[in-house]
Amino acid sequence: MASRALKAVLTATITASFALAAVPAQAAADPDPFVWAELTPTYTATGAYAYEPFTAKGGYQRTDECVPNMGYHYVNPKYVNSLDPAKPAALLYEDTKRGKRELVAVEWVVEDKGQATPKLFGRKFDEGQLPGHFTLHAWIYKFNPKGLLEGFNPRVKCPKPKPKP
């Protein structure tokens, strides 16, 4: 019987080790490091979208307008109003030097219908970034010096507009 308990403890320890190995260094700076465990379903559900062409298969619609300090939003209309960690309404991308788009964050979007401000991961959604909506970003694919769940990331750059002839 003691060997079963030992196996259970070892299994839990190994599982936790793998989970912690996948957590970026940013986790230590956040006030609640347990938020990374809550974000595990988000990683699982969005990891495939690191390859940008898969977004259409997942119902995410590409945009070509880059929002400064956020990036390009790919929105899945089915997930607007979702508070499910595995179903963010938007994926955020940034252009790379090689001309590809790189996944940098995810975003939950909830319509403001007069209800209380929603919360997820122990954090209230932001108001006013998108008129008539509450939003919450999670910078799980690119470090944000302002914080994991902040609305804007100063490290995300938009391409400079091309001069018109």
Side-chain angles (χ1 to χ4, degrees):
M1 196 64 117
S3 68
R4 277 190 182 170
L6 180 59
K7 285 180 184 177
V9 169
L10 288 174
T11 301
T13 304
I14 291 169
T15 302
S17 299
F18 284 125
L20 290 173
V23 175
Q26 178 175 335
D30 284 315
D32 182 5
F34 294 107
V35 74
W36 287 101
E38 294 175 44
L39 282 163
T40 300
T42 309
Y43 271 111
T44 304
T46 62
Y49 301 120
Y51 182 63
E52 185 260 350
F54 286 165
T55 58
K57 290 179 183 176
Y60 289 92
Q61 301 168 3
R62 179 184 169 120
T63 62
D64 287 318
E65 182 179 333
C66 187
V67 177
N69 299 315
M70 282 190 193
Y72 297 95
H73 289 70
Y74 290 48
V75 178
N76 185 331
K78 287 186 345 189
Y79 295 157
V80 171
N81 295 319
S82 168
L83 294 176
D84 183 340
K87 296 180 180 175
L91 305 172
L92 281 68
Y93 288 82
E94 179 180 37
D95 282 335
T96 67
K97 292 176 183 171
R98 297 178 308 273
K100 305 277 185 194
R101 288 197 179 168
E102 179 176 74
L103 183 60
V104 294
V106 298
E107 178 182 12
W108 289 266
V109 178
V110 174
E111 293 174 281
D112 183 354
K113 296 180 179 177
Q115 77 274 32
T117 305
K119 282 178 77 174
L120 192 60
F121 311 118
R123 167 81 182 255
K124 280 189 173 185
F125 278 50
D126 294 317
E127 298 177 50
Q129 286 182 353
L130 180 61
H133 296 81
F134 299 104
T135 59
L136 181 68
H137 294 80
W139 299 94
I140 59 176
Y141 295 104
K142 182 168 185 144
F143 175 74
N144 184 352
K146 290 184 169 235
L148 173 65
L149 301 174
E150 291 300 316
F152 296 97
N153 185 339
R155 291 187 170 191
V156 175
K157 306 293 181 209
C158 289
K160 293 181 181 171
K162 295 177 183 173
K164 294 183 180 181

